[in-house]
Amino acid sequence: MSTTPTGTTTTSTNTTTTPILSTPLQKINVNESRYDQSTYWGRVVHFFNVTDPRTLLVTNSTLQGAIKLLDEYKSLDPQNNADKTKLLTDPKFKAENIYYAMKLQQSSIHPDTKEPILAPFRMSAFVPMNLLIVSGMLSARSIPATIFWQTINQTCNVCVNYANRNASNEISNTTLFKNYLGAVASSVGTAVGLNEWVKRAAFSPALKTTLLSIVPFTAVAVANVLNIGMMRKEEMVQGISVFDKEGNVYGKSAVAGQMGVAQTIASRIILIAPSMIVQPILMNSLEAKGLLKSSLSKNITNLVLLTVFIGGFLPLGIGIFPQICSIDADKLEDQFKNVTNPKTGEKVNTFYYNKGL
C-alpha cells in the first residue's frame, strides 16, 4: 500500500502464476490407437492389446465408466486454466487410466454404431471360442461330426462377421438368414466332399492322414470367403462411408467397400492357417515318433499348440491391415476426386474407411 502526493492511497498487486499451470501438458488422442497404425508391428501390438481375453470379464458398468471417463477427458481444454489444473491433478486422468479406458472401448465398442458388441462375438473372444471349435473340427472324422462342427463354426462366424462389420448399411434378418445357410452349406459341403475324396483316393496312409488333417482348413477358407462376402455384400454394392482425417463424411464408396471386404477375408484366412495346417502336421509328426502315447498327453499337447497358434497369430493376422484404412481420392469413384473440406476449402486427397474386422 502507498500514498500518492495528493494523499490518495493505492494498493499494488503482484500477479503470480500457480506452479502447476506451468507444467507442460500433452493430451492423449483418445480417438486413435496409442500405437503407430502406419506400421505393421504397431498394428500387431494394438490388436494384441485390444484382443486381450481378460477384457471379457469387465462388467458393463465398468465399461460404461470407461466411456464416460474418455468423454470427460475429451471435453477438457488444456488452454483453460481450470481444465488444465484438473487434468494435471485429478488421479483419474493419469495416463495409465486413460489408456486402460481406451483399451476397453476399442475392444468392446463398435466404431460405427458406438454400441457394445456382444461379448462372445468380440475379437477378444476369438481365442477362447476357437479353441473349442477348432479342436472339434480337427478331430472330426465321421460325416455327422464334420457337419456338426462346421455348422457350429459357421454359426459363430456369421455372428462375428455381423458384429464386426462396417455398419454403414443395415442388413435385414431375411438376408442374414440366407447368408448363414449359404455359409453353412458351403463349409459342410467342402469338408464332407474333401473328406470322402481323400478317404477313397489311393494315397499312402501317412499322406492320407496329413491330407485329412488339413481338410478342415480348406473348408473353413472356402466358407470364410463366401461367409464374409455374403454377410457384407451390401458394403460392396452400396458402398461404405468414407471420411477425411477430421471425421467429415463425404458419402459412400463401393470401391472402399470392396477393398475392406477383400482385406478382411485375407486377414481371416491368414490368422487361422497356422492352427489348422501347421498344428495338425506337428501333432501327426509327434505321434508318429511315439512322443505322444497317452490320450492325456495328446489332449494337453493339442490344447497348448492351439492356444499358441490361435492366440499368437490373431494379432499377426488381423494386423496385416489397419482397421481404419486410407485410400487416395484418385482410386475412388469420380464423385470423390474433386471434393473439398467444408471448413478449410482445401481439396481432400486422402480418404479413410473402417474396413471392419
Side-chain angles (χ1 to χ4, degrees):
M1 183 180 294
S2 61
T3 304
T4 65
T6 59
T8 304
T9 301
T10 63
T11 302
S12 62
T13 60
N14 294 321
T15 302
T16 60
T17 301
T18 306
I20 192 69
L21 294 177
S22 62
T23 304
L25 174 63
Q26 180 66 45
K27 279 190 73 177
I28 298 169
N29 187 344
V30 300
N31 294 320
E32 297 180 356
S33 172
R34 64 182 294 186
Y35 306 104
D36 185 1
Q37 295 299 281
S38 66
T39 68
Y40 173 65
W41 288 112
R43 295 192 294 271
V44 168
V45 175
H46 166 76
F47 284 118
F48 183 82
N49 185 51
V50 300
T51 58
D52 183 349
R54 292 176 298 178
T55 60
L56 298 170
L57 303 177
V58 172
T59 63
N60 186 62
S61 60
T62 301
L63 177 60
Q64 294 304 320
I67 296 172
K68 183 178 179 181
L69 173 62
L70 294 178
D71 287 341
E72 184 179 358
Y73 182 79
K74 287 189 290 185
S75 70
L76 297 176
D77 181 5
Q79 301 302 317
N80 179 284
N81 287 344
D83 285 356
K84 184 175 182 179
T85 300
K86 193 172 184 179
L87 287 167
L88 290 169
T89 60
D90 195 327
K92 70 181 179 182
F93 294 125
K94 286 184 176 180
E96 58 264 32
N97 295 332
I98 299 301
Y99 282 132
Y100 182 66
M102 290 169 60
K103 175 177 180 174
L104 295 184
Q105 183 183 59
Q106 292 167 357
S107 66
S108 309
I109 303 297
H110 194 286
D112 293 336
T113 66
K114 308 304 180 186
E115 295 293 329
I117 300 171
L118 288 176
F121 311 132
R122 297 172 189 169
M123 294 308 290
S124 52
F126 186 88
V127 173
M129 293 286 287
N130 277 271
L131 279 176
L132 173 64
I133 295 173
V134 173
S135 294
M137 288 191 295
L138 291 177
S139 62
R141 288 294 181 265
S142 67
I143 292 179
T146 298
I147 293 174
F148 174 78
W149 284 110
Q150 289 291 339
T151 301
I152 292 295
N153 183 53
Q154 289 311 312
T155 300
C156 181
N157 281 349
V158 165
C159 295
V160 170
N161 292 338
Y162 180 76
N164 294 279
R165 74 199 185 284
N166 179 296
S168 298
N169 302 296
E170 289 300 319
I171 183 170
S172 68
N173 290 333
T174 301
T175 301
L176 191 63
F177 185 65
K178 288 179 179 178
N179 294 343
Y180 166 70
L181 292 179
V184 171
S186 65
S187 65
V188 170
T190 303
V192 171
L194 288 177
N195 264 324
E196 292 304 301
W197 174 72
V198 171
K199 288 178 180 178
R200 296 175 184 178
F203 296 129
S204 66
L207 179 58
K208 186 173 292 189
T209 299
T210 301
L211 290 175
L212 284 173
S213 297
I214 64 175
V215 162
F217 168 75
T218 306
V220 169
V222 170
N224 269 347
V225 173
L226 296 175
N227 191 324
I228 298 173
M230 289 186 291
M231 285 297 300
R232 298 174 60 177
K233 178 183 176 182
E234 297 306 312
E235 297 177 33
M236 295 186 287
V237 177
Q238 296 184 20
I240 59 176
S241 298
V242 293
F243 46 90
D244 60 23
K245 61 183 179 181
E246 296 173 352
N248 301 308
V249 178
Y250 293 89
K252 292 182 178 182
S253 166
V255 173
Q258 292 158 12
M259 291 187 66
V261 171
Q263 290 167 331
T264 301
I265 290 173
S267 63
R268 290 285 190 88
I269 291 176
I270 291 171
L271 75 89
I272 65 169
S275 62
M276 301 196 74
I277 295 180
V278 180
Q279 188 271 352
I281 291 176
L282 281 177
M283 285 293 294
N284 288 337
S285 176
L286 292 173
E287 290 181 31
K289 293 177 180 179
L291 298 176
L292 304 176
K293 297 180 180 180
S294 66
S295 297
L296 179 61
S297 63
K298 291 179 183 179
N299 291 334
I300 292 177
T301 304
N302 184 58
L303 182 62
V304 170
L305 288 176
L306 283 178
T307 302
V308 170
F309 283 123
I310 296 176
F313 277 84
L314 174 60
L316 291 173
I318 58 179
I320 292 175
F321 306 103
Q323 183 169 0
I324 303 300
C325 296
S326 62
I327 184 171
D328 293 338
D330 291 341
K331 295 180 180 179
L332 295 177
E333 293 88 339
D334 290 341
Q335 70 189 78
F336 300 105
K337 292 180 179 178
N338 292 298
V339 171
T340 56
N341 185 302
K343 298 177 181 178
T344 65
E346 297 179 354
K347 182 181 178 181
V348 180
N349 295 311
T350 303
F351 289 92
Y352 301 85
Y353 62 92
N354 171 25
K355 75 168 181 63
L357 288 175

